[in-house]
Amino acid sequence: MADSVPDAVSDADKIRNKRLAKLGARAPSSSNSNAGESSSSVTAPQATTQPIVENEKGYENQGDPDAKLQTSIQPGPQEIPKPASNPFSQLGMRLSNGAAPRISISPAAGGTVTPQKRERGESEHSRLKSREEETLQEWEDRMLGAIFRLTLDPNVRHDTHGHPLHYVANVRAGMEEEGFPVRFGTAMLDEAILEAASNLGKTTPLEYLLACWKRVTRLLKTHKIGDESDSGSKYGIISEAKRICMSYCIFAVTMPDMFGQEPSATNPLTPHLLVEQEDDRGLCHDFFTEAISRLSSDDTTKEALVGAIEDLSRQLAKMSMNDNYKPYVLAFRTISRYPALVNALIESPFFLAAYVPPGTLEVATLLGPFFQISPLQGEVTTQYFSSPNTRDKGYITNSQRALRMTLESHQTDLLDIVNHIVRTGKEARDKMLDWFALCVNSNHKRRAMQVDQKLVSSDGFMINVTVCLDQLCEPFMDSTFSKIDRIDVDYLRRKPRVDIREETKLNADQNASDRFYNEIAEGTSNFISEVFFLTLAAHHYGSEAASSKLEQLEKDLKRMEKSVEDIELERHKFLSDPRRLRMFEDAVKKYKDQIDKGLSYKYAVQGVLLDELTQTRSTQLLRYVIVWLLRLVAPGHDFPKQPLQLPLPEQQPEVFKCLPEYFLEDIVGNFKLIMRNMPHIITSTQSDELVMLCITFLRSSEYIKNPYLKSGLVSILFHGIWPIPNRAKGVLGDLLNSLPFATDHLLHALMKFYIEVENTGTHTQFWDKFNIRYEIFQVIKCIWSNSIYREHLSQEATINLDFFVRFVNLLLNDVTFVLDESLSAFVEIHNLQQELMAASSTMESTLRTEKEEALAAAKGKAKSYMQLTNETVAMLKLFTEALADSFTMPEIVQRLADMLDYNLDVMVGPKNTNLNIEDRQDYGFNPRALLSEIVDVYLNLKDKENFVFAVARDGRSYKPGNFEKATALMKRHSLKSAQDIAAWTSLGEKFKRAKEVDDQAEEDLGEVPDEFLDPLMFTLMEDPVILPTSRTSVDRSTIRSHLLSDPNDPFNRAPLKIEDVIPDTELRARIQAFKAEKKGKKIADTPGVTEEVMDTTAG
C-alpha cells in the first residue's frame, strides 16, 4: 500500500496542511520536542493490538476483574532509528523516504511527549498480562485504539463488545515501511484519525469524532490512570489525544473536503447541537469548554460555533409550536451559559443587523425565531381549537389551560437565555437591550387603526418579548419601592433606546415636546431605567396591541356571523340550479372557514392574555408605574407613604406633560382587561394605588389632554365595582366607601368629568358622553349609601354653586333627551309592529324588508336609550332627594318642571297606548317602574314653592288630569304606599292652586311692555342684566341657564362668562315699579281684597 502513495505533495495538500497546522498543531519549543523526535525509541511490531472499548458503564475488562482495560500482544522488541528532520516538522507533519506527508497535530511546547518504545506481550492466544506488568507504550496503544476504535490488525474488525473497529491500512503500511513498531501512539494518531474518518461510509466524520471525544473525556474523568508515580505521563497521553480529537472535530466542520466530504449548505455542527449532551453525537460541556478555549487564537473555531448557532436559528424560523422546537430552544439555552460564546455571538451581524424590516424581525435576527414560537402562530391555533364552533366551553377552557402550560415553559426558557446574555457583561447586556429596543421601535404600526400584518411582528412574538421584559423588571420591583428612585426621570432626554418622537404626549403638543427633548440631559442611564422604559413600550406595542386586536376581532366575528345568516336566507334562490348551488355552498363554506379561523385565534389570544401568572407580573409592573407617575406630579411627596394633596399644583411638571400617553394608556387597558376577566388577582395594595391614580387625574383632569384616556379611569372604577363571588361590590366597591382619599375627592372628581365629557372634540362625542356618564352613574350608585358622600355633595352645592349648577343642568339635559328618545322609539316600534301585523300577507316583499329593517333599527335604538333612561332617572331621584334646594334654583327649576310634566304626559296621557309593544323586558322597559321613579322626583321637591309654580307655569305639558290618572295607576298596581299616594294627591292640588294664582297674576299685569320681557324666554324679567358685548338686557336666570351649555353671548356669539354681566338696575327698578303699579291698581279696584300668600304646607 505504501507503494501507491504519491511521492510529492500537491499544492492543495500544502494549503490544507498549513490550515491544519494553524488549527490543530501546537508548535514545539525546540527540535527535541517535535513528534518525529518523540519516537526515538520504539519497539518493532510482532503482532497487532486489539483495543478494548467502553460499554454502557465505562471501560470493561474481560479478564482480570480488578483491571479496567486489557489487550492481547506479542513481544519482540527492536530499536527504530530516529528519522531525519524535515521542513514539515514545524507543522506537525512527517515525511520519510519520499512517502506522502501524513497530518500530525503535534503537542505544544512543554507538552507531554509520549515514549514510543514499549514491551510487547505474548501472542493473541497467550494469557493476558496483568495491569501491573503493562508498559506505558502498551497502555498507550490500547487506550488510543479503544478511544478512537482503531485497529492495525486486518483480522480484528470488532472489539470484545461487538463495536466495529476501523482498520487503518495506510497507517500500518507507513509504519512498516519506515520501520516503526505497529502500534498506536500520539505521534501518529492524526494520520490514523484522518484515514479512519475518511472511510466511514454512512457515518459522517463529525459523528465519529464526537463519539471519540466523549470516550476520551469520560476516560479523563472516570478512569484512574496508573499510579501517582506515572499518572503524569498517562494523563499527558490522554490529554494529547483529547486535543487532537477536538482539532479534527473543528476540521470536520470547517474543512469537510479533508475527509472526502462535499461542503454542506448548513453547518455540520448544527444537528449535533440538538442532540442530548449525553448522546455520543451530542456536544457536551467539555466540548464547549475546549472549543471556547480556542476562540481567541483560532478564527475557524469561532466561525464553526457561531455558524452552527446561526443555522440553528434559521432552521427554527421555519417551525411553529406544532413542530419539535424544544431541542432548538434547549440548545440555545445551553449555549447562552458560556460567556465567551455569547460574546462571539453578539459580534455577528445576524444578532443585530444595522437595519431589519419590521416584518422580518422574527426571522432576520438570531433571537427572533426563538421568540416567534407561540401558540398564536396560525397553524397552532387551529390545532388547539379545531372546529371551534362545535366545541363546548369546557373543551375551550381545557385547551386554553394546556396552551398556557406550554407557553409558560417556553417563556421560562426564553428568560433564562436572556438572563445569561445580560449577565455575560456590559457589551452583551447592551446588545440585548438594543435588540429589545429594535423589537418595540420597529412595531409602532401595531397600534395603528388599520394594521398590515406583513409590516409588523406577530402577536405571539411581541407578547413573548413583553413577558420576558416583565420578568427582567422583577428584581427591582419590591413592595416597599426602595429602588423606585433609580428610575431616571431624565432617561427619555438622554438619547434613549426607546423611540417616542411620534408618540402622542400626555399634555404637550409636538412643538413643546420637541423643545423639551431637544435639551439633552447629561449623564448615563442605568440598567433599571433602560428595562423600565423598554418594558412599558413593549406592553404598549405587545400585549396591549394584542388586546386591542382581540376586541376588534370579536366585533368582526359578530359581523361575519350576521353576514352568513343573511347569505343563508338567499339559499332558496339557487335550489333549482345545481351548478349555482354548488358555487353558493363553496362561497358559504369559505366564509365559515374564515369565521372558524378567527374563532380559533380569538380563543388562543384569550388563553395567552388571560394567564393569571402573566397578568400578575403585569400588575406588579403597572403598580410601579402608578407610584412613579404620582410621585412625578407631586414632587416632594414620598408617595405612597405620604398621601397626595388634591387638587394637584396648577403648574404641571414638564417631564410629566411630555411623557407618552401610553404610560397611562397601558395602565388603563391592562386593568380594564383584568377587572373584566380576573379581578381576583388584584391585591389590596394595588387597589389602593389604582383608586388614587383614577381619582387624582379625574380631580385634576387638566393634567391629561385626551378625554378618552380619562374616561378609561372611570371605566376602571366602573369595572371594579362589578359584583364577583363573595364580593357584592366588586374588588373596589368597599374600598371606595372606606378609603379617606376616596371619600374626600371621588364624588367631585366624577361630577367634574361628567361635565367635561359634554364636549370631547370628536365626531362621536354625542354618543360617547352617554356611555361615559352611564359608568359614572354606576359608581355614584355604589357609593351613595355612604352618608359621607352625601354630606360632601351638600357642601359642594353650597360652596361651589356654579360647578354644581352646571352638573345639574347637564343631568337634566340627559334625562330629557334619553327619555324622549326612548319613548319615541317605543312609539315607532309600536307603529311598525302594527303595520306588519295588519298587512302580513298583502305587503310587498321589498316594502316588508324595509319595514323590518326599520323595526330592527328602532329596537336597537330603544334598547340603548332605555338603559340610559333608567340610570339617569334613578340618578335624578337620588340627587333631588338629597339636594332639593339645589334643583329648584331659578336657573334650572323651570327646565326640570317642563321635563317632568312632558314625560308624565307621555306615560299616562292619551297617547300612552303607543307604548304597548311586544317583549318590553328585552329593552329594559318597565313603564310602571319608570312612572314610580318620576313620581318620586315630584315628591322629593313637593315642599319647594318655586318648583310648584314652575310646574303650574308649564303651558305645554302641565295637565291636572295627568296627576289624577297617575294616582289611579299607582293604586291599581300598588306602585306606592298609601302615604305616598296621599302626598301625591296633595301635591296635585298645590299645582292647581298655583296655576290659579299665576293665571290671576298674569291677568292682573295685563299688557307687559316688550322692554320688560326677556328676549329669549318672553317672560317678565325679575333680575335683568346687560350682556357686555351685545349690550342686550336679559334675565339673569335666563343667561345663566344659557351659559351652562353655551359659553357665548346668544346675540353676537362673543365669549361670555356670568361674571361679566352687568346688573341693569335702572330696568329692574322700572319693572318693579310696573308690577307695584299693577298690583296697587288691582287692590284699589277690588274693595276688601288684600295680598294673598299661597299656602305651600303639605296637604
Side-chain angles (χ1 to χ4, degrees):
M1 293 201 49
D3 296 335
S4 64
V5 178
D7 294 333
V9 181
S10 67
D11 291 339
D13 286 336
K14 289 180 181 178
I15 294 172
R16 179 183 297 144
N17 292 337
K18 290 181 180 180
R19 292 176 67 188
L20 288 172
K22 175 184 177 184
L23 287 167
R26 292 183 290 183
S29 58
S30 67
S31 60
N32 295 330
S33 62
N34 62 41
E37 294 174 347
S38 68
S39 56
S40 57
S41 178
V42 296
T43 305
Q46 297 294 322
T48 60
T49 301
Q50 176 180 338
I52 305 298
V53 299
E54 61 174 328
N55 63 8
E56 292 179 356
K57 298 182 179 180
Y59 290 89
E60 185 175 316
N61 187 289
Q62 301 298 315
D64 186 354
D66 297 327
K68 296 290 184 183
L69 297 168
Q70 66 178 12
T71 184
S72 298
I73 56 175
Q74 287 186 355
Q78 76 177 55
E79 296 293 319
I80 302 298
K82 178 167 63 176
S85 62
N86 61 76
F88 289 92
S89 62
Q90 297 300 317
L91 295 175
M93 312 292 289
R94 289 188 288 115
L95 186 63
S96 178
N97 299 327
R102 291 185 289 273
I103 300 171
S104 174
I105 304 176
S106 55
T112 303
V113 180
T114 305
Q116 294 298 307
K117 184 177 180 180
R118 62 177 179 172
E119 297 289 338
R120 297 296 293 172
E122 299 177 358
S123 66
E124 281 186 4
H125 304 289
S126 302
R127 183 176 57 85
L128 296 174
K129 296 170 62 176
S130 66
R131 290 183 64 184
E132 288 78 8
E133 298 174 354
E134 186 178 43
T135 66
L136 185 60
Q137 290 83 2
E138 294 169 343
W139 182 89
E140 180 181 27
D141 176 44
R142 179 166 57 84
M143 283 296 164
L144 295 181
I147 292 168
F148 294 95
R149 288 185 178 164
L150 301 173
T151 180
L152 292 168
D153 186 348
N155 299 318
V156 180
R157 295 302 180 95
H158 292 82
D159 62 17
T160 55
H161 297 289
H163 297 124
L165 300 176
H166 304 285
Y167 173 56
V168 284
N170 289 341
V171 173
R172 179 186 176 101
M175 290 178 174
E176 292 174 342
E177 181 181 346
E178 297 179 13
F180 291 168
V182 182
R183 62 171 174 257
F184 293 115
T186 56
M188 44 66 65
L189 182 58
D190 50 339
E191 302 173 47
I193 292 174
L194 183 59
E195 182 176 344
S198 300
N199 300 279
L200 294 172
K202 295 183 179 180
T203 304
T204 66
L206 185 57
E207 288 177 350
Y208 162 70
L209 290 164
L210 287 175
C212 297
W213 173 263
K214 289 293 177 65
R215 289 190 286 273
V216 71
T217 54
R218 279 197 289 262
L219 182 63
L220 280 174
K221 291 179 180 179
T222 64
H223 189 66
K224 184 179 179 181
I225 308 177
D227 298 329
E228 292 183 4
S229 59
D230 62 353
S231 62
S233 297
K234 290 184 177 180
Y235 186 83
I237 293 170
I238 302 304
S239 296
E240 179 65 6
K242 174 185 173 185
R243 187 188 66 79
I244 294 173
C245 184
M246 171 56 70
S247 296
Y248 273 90
C249 285
I250 301 301
F251 295 158
V253 176
T254 58
M255 294 186 291
D257 56 326
M258 174 188 293
F259 305 95
Q261 302 284 318
E262 290 293 329
S264 172
T266 59
N267 192 298
L269 203 58
T270 303
H272 300 279
L273 291 169
L274 305 175
V275 182
E276 292 287 343
Q277 292 192 17
E278 293 75 15
D279 191 290
D280 278 352
R281 296 174 299 126
L283 305 182
C284 61
H285 172 71
D286 295 306
F287 181 91
F288 284 115
T289 303
E290 179 68 21
I292 288 169
S293 69
R294 302 181 177 209
L295 290 178
S296 59
S297 59
D298 185 357
D299 290 341
T300 55
T301 302
K302 179 178 177 180
E303 177 188 338
L305 291 174
V306 173
I309 299 165
E310 290 178 348
D311 275 354
L312 190 78
S313 175
R314 292 188 181 97
Q315 291 178 22
L316 183 61
K318 302 174 184 178
M319 297 184 178
S320 72
M321 195 167 266
N322 283 345
D323 301 311
N324 187 26
Y325 71 93
K326 197 69 174 179
Y328 292 82
V329 179
L330 294 179
F332 197 81
R333 186 175 178 178
T334 298
I335 290 162
S336 67
R337 298 175 188 273
Y338 298 94
L341 198 49
V342 170
N343 286 328
L345 283 173
I346 64 173
E347 294 175 3
S348 167
F350 191 46
F351 186 89
L352 191 69
Y355 172 73
V356 181
T360 65
L361 187 62
E362 299 174 40
V363 297
T365 62
L366 184 69
L367 291 173
F370 296 91
F371 280 81
Q372 178 191 37
I373 296 296
S374 166
L376 300 185
Q377 291 170 290
E379 61 272 26
V380 183
T381 61
T382 54
Q383 181 74 20
Y384 274 102
F385 305 99
S386 58
S387 303
N389 259 320
T390 64
R391 304 297 185 179
D392 59 24
K393 186 176 180 181
Y395 176 90
I396 300 298
T397 301
N398 289 334
S399 296
Q400 289 176 335
R401 187 178 295 117
L403 174 151
R404 291 184 191 117
M405 292 175 63
T406 305
L407 181 59
E408 183 180 340
S409 172
H410 179 58
Q411 289 173 343
T412 300
D413 291 335
L414 293 178
L415 176 66
D416 190 67
I417 291 169
V418 171
N419 255 328
H420 280 95
I421 294 175
V422 167
R423 296 174 188 276
T424 295
K426 185 180 185 305
E427 186 178 358
R429 180 170 63 247
D430 288 344
K431 284 281 189 177
M432 190 71 251
L433 293 176
D434 288 342
W435 186 81
F436 279 130
L438 176 65
C439 294
V440 297
N441 293 335
S442 299
N443 280 287
H444 285 204
K445 290 184 178 179
R446 278 177 55 84
R447 298 313 303 262
M449 295 295 292
Q450 298 292 330
V451 181
D452 185 347
Q453 297 300 326
K454 296 178 181 178
L455 301 179
V456 295
S457 300
S458 66
D459 290 333
F461 174 84
M462 290 303 296
I463 288 174
N464 284 338
V465 169
T466 305
V467 171
C468 192
L469 282 168
D470 271 343
Q471 294 177 87
L472 284 181
C473 291
E474 285 183 348
F476 64 81
M477 292 191 302
D478 60 315
S479 59
T480 61
F481 303 99
S482 62
K483 298 181 180 178
I484 196 168
D485 291 333
R486 298 284 304 280
I487 300 173
D488 192 350
V489 297
D490 288 326
Y491 170 81
L492 295 174
R493 300 173 61 195
R494 197 177 286 125
K495 298 181 179 179
R497 286 184 165 87
V498 181
D499 181 8
I500 62 166
R501 288 171 298 178
E502 298 180 3
E503 289 295 332
T504 305
K505 307 307 186 293
L506 280 173
N507 203 16
D509 59 26
Q510 191 63 46
N511 291 332
S513 173
D514 290 343
R515 285 195 302 271
F516 178 76
Y517 287 115
N518 286 338
E519 298 176 8
I520 307 300
E522 297 180 356
T524 58
S525 300
N526 57 53
F527 180 73
I528 289 178
S529 298
E530 293 276 11
V531 175
F532 178 80
F533 285 93
L534 277 172
T535 306
L536 270 176
H539 269 268
H540 185 61
Y541 303 115
S543 56
E544 292 305 313
S547 181
S548 298
K549 181 179 177 180
L550 176 62
E551 291 181 6
Q552 185 59 48
L553 177 61
E554 290 175 335
K555 295 176 183 177
D556 292 343
L557 287 173
K558 288 181 180 178
R559 177 180 51 79
M560 293 172 71
E561 288 168 352
K562 180 64 169 62
S563 297
V564 169
E565 293 176 3
D566 294 340
I567 292 172
E568 285 288 359
L569 295 176
E570 305 294 319
R571 178 179 291 274
H572 67 278
K573 297 180 180 179
F574 307 98
L575 294 178
S576 59
D577 188 338
R579 185 181 64 84
R580 294 182 65 196
L581 179 61
R582 186 168 56 255
M583 294 173 61
F584 174 82
E585 289 176 342
D586 289 343
V588 171
K589 182 180 182 302
K590 184 177 180 181
Y591 216 71
K592 288 182 176 179
D593 288 344
Q594 285 294 105
I595 293 176
D596 282 352
K597 186 177 179 181
L599 273 176
S600 297
Y601 192 80
K602 168 189 167 181
Y603 292 141
V605 174
Q606 288 176 337
V608 172
L609 291 179
L610 301 183
D611 176 54
E612 289 193 8
L613 179 61
T614 299
Q615 291 301 340
T616 299
R617 293 194 188 107
S618 293
T619 57
Q620 185 180 3
L621 169 77
L622 295 177
R623 182 191 177 204
Y624 235 69
V625 179
I626 289 172
V627 173
W628 188 76
L629 286 175
L630 292 179
R631 286 188 175 205
L632 208 58
V633 296
H637 282 75
D638 187 15
F639 182 80
K641 295 179 181 178
Q642 296 177 354
L644 293 175
Q645 300 296 320
L646 295 184
L648 294 174
E650 189 173 331
Q651 184 65 34
Q652 301 177 27
E654 285 296 318
V655 65
F656 175 83
K657 292 170 63 177
C658 295
L659 284 177
E661 269 190 358
Y662 67 69
F663 273 60
L664 198 56
E665 187 178 354
D666 288 354
I667 297 172
V668 171
N670 196 251
F671 275 104
K672 282 171 64 176
L673 178 72
I674 293 172
M675 290 293 187
R676 288 196 299 262
N677 298 282
M678 49 178 68
H680 57 277
I681 72 170
I682 301 178
T683 65
S684 58
T685 51
Q686 289 172 341
S687 298
D688 289 359
E689 290 140 9
L690 183 60
V691 166
M692 291 181 186
L693 176 86
C694 295
I695 294 174
T696 297
F697 290 118
L698 289 174
R699 179 68 176 82
S700 297
S701 57
E702 59 276 5
Y703 270 61
I704 300 171
K705 180 172 57 177
N706 187 345
Y708 294 102
L709 199 54
K710 289 180 278 192
S711 73
L713 301 175
V714 176
S715 294
I716 290 176
L717 298 176
F718 167 66
H719 290 293
I721 62 172
W722 276 8
I724 61 174
N726 302 320
R727 303 181 79 169
K729 292 186 176 181
V731 294
L732 299 182
D734 292 334
L735 184 63
L736 296 179
N737 281 290
S738 60
L739 185 68
F741 190 84
T743 56
D744 288 343
H745 304 291
L746 175 59
L747 191 56
H748 182 95
L750 292 174
M751 293 170 63
K752 181 178 181 182
F753 191 57
Y754 187 100
I755 295 170
E756 282 187 21
V757 295
E758 181 69 17
N759 297 293
T760 60
T762 65
H763 67 283
T764 59
Q765 67 179 15
F766 182 77
W767 309 108
D768 293 336
K769 70 178 181 181
F770 288 116
N771 294 327
I772 296 168
R773 286 171 177 171
Y774 172 80
E775 295 183 348
I776 291 175
F777 290 153
Q778 301 308 306
V779 179
I780 292 177
K781 284 170 65 176
C782 176
I783 63 176
W784 193 253
S785 60
N786 190 332
S787 60
I788 298 176
Y789 281 108
R790 296 198 299 274
E791 292 172 4
H792 286 173
L793 182 63
S794 179
Q795 295 171 5
E796 196 78 55
T798 304
I799 298 172
N800 200 349
L801 180 61
D802 287 343
F803 169 81
F804 187 77
V805 168
R806 291 176 63 200
F807 170 75
V808 171
N809 180 70
L810 292 174
L811 178 62
L812 290 179
N813 286 347
D814 288 351
V815 174
T816 302
F817 177 79
V818 297
L819 258 174
D820 187 50
E821 290 295 314
S822 299
L823 299 180
S824 299
F826 289 134
V827 172
E828 184 180 1
I829 291 171
H830 170 80
N831 294 336
L832 288 169
Q833 286 178 341
Q834 294 298 317
E835 287 183 42
L836 290 170
M837 189 181 301
S840 58
S841 58
T842 59
M843 188 177 292
E844 294 181 0
S845 59
T846 304
L847 181 59
R848 170 171 287 277
T849 300
E850 292 178 1
K851 296 289 184 181
E852 288 174 346
E853 290 177 353
L855 178 60
K859 286 181 176 180
K861 175 183 175 182
K863 187 173 183 179
S864 299
Y865 279 123
M866 198 63 228
Q867 188 178 24
L868 289 168
T869 296
N870 292 333
E871 295 303 327
T872 51
V873 172
M875 194 58 48
L876 181 64
K877 173 186 170 182
L878 292 178
F879 275 78
T880 53
E881 181 182 15
L883 300 167
D885 288 336
S886 302
F887 279 85
T888 54
M889 290 183 290
E891 296 87 346
I892 57 178
V893 66
Q894 191 61 55
R895 293 189 59 245
L896 174 59
D898 293 348
M899 181 271 295
L900 291 173
D901 289 343
Y902 172 77
N903 287 291
L904 182 65
D905 186 49
V906 173
M907 297 295 295
V908 302
K911 296 183 180 180
N912 69 336
T913 55
N914 291 335
L915 301 180
N916 293 329
I917 59 173
E918 300 173 358
D919 303 320
R920 291 174 178 173
Q921 64 277 6
D922 292 345
Y923 312 103
F925 179 39
N926 185 339
R928 297 172 188 173
L930 183 58
L931 174 62
S932 178
E933 298 230 306
I934 291 175
V935 168
D936 283 336
V937 176
Y938 275 105
L939 293 177
N940 288 340
L941 305 174
K942 68 181 186 299
D943 296 327
K944 304 302 176 183
E945 181 178 352
N946 54 350
F947 172 70
V948 173
F949 273 100
V951 171
R953 288 170 181 161
D954 178 12
R956 184 185 68 160
S957 300
Y958 170 66
K959 300 170 185 176
N962 286 342
F963 290 87
E964 296 171 1
K965 292 178 182 178
T967 302
L969 285 172
M970 288 188 287
K971 288 180 178 180
R972 186 189 313 158
H973 300 291
S974 301
L975 300 181
K976 291 294 179 185
S977 66
Q979 183 179 0
D980 286 341
I981 290 177
W984 174 257
T985 303
S986 175
L987 182 60
E989 293 302 319
K990 283 186 179 181
F991 292 147
K992 289 181 181 179
R993 292 198 300 272
K995 176 66 173 172
E996 294 171 358
V997 171
D998 199 58
D999 288 346
Q1000 184 62 50
E1002 185 175 349
E1003 183 181 340
D1004 292 344
L1005 287 175
E1007 188 73 22
V1008 178
D1010 290 344
E1011 59 182 320
F1012 294 167
L1013 294 176
D1014 183 281
L1016 295 178
M1017 303 300 294
F1018 298 101
T1019 57
L1020 182 64
M1021 291 186 282
E1022 298 289 338
D1023 184 12
V1025 294
I1026 302 172
L1027 305 186
T1029 56
S1030 64
R1031 308 304 297 178
T1032 305
S1033 292
V1034 297
D1035 195 75
R1036 184 184 296 273
S1037 62
T1038 301
I1039 193 61
R1040 184 188 291 273
S1041 179
H1042 169 81
L1043 292 177
L1044 292 175
S1045 54
D1046 185 352
N1048 299 308
D1049 187 319
F1051 301 99
N1052 62 6
R1053 308 305 300 160
L1056 177 65
K1057 294 181 180 179
I1058 192 63
E1059 295 84 3
D1060 299 334
V1061 300
I1062 305 166
D1064 194 342
T1065 54
E1066 187 271 334
L1067 180 59
R1068 181 176 182 180
R1070 291 169 57 200
I1071 293 173
Q1072 294 296 330
F1074 170 78
K1075 291 169 64 177
E1077 177 188 350
K1078 292 293 184 180
K1079 186 178 294 186
K1081 184 178 180 182
K1082 173 66 176 177
I1083 295 172
D1085 293 344
T1086 311
V1089 175
T1090 59
E1091 287 190 60
E1092 295 182 2
V1093 178
M1094 179 181 173
D1095 180 11
T1096 60
T1097 59

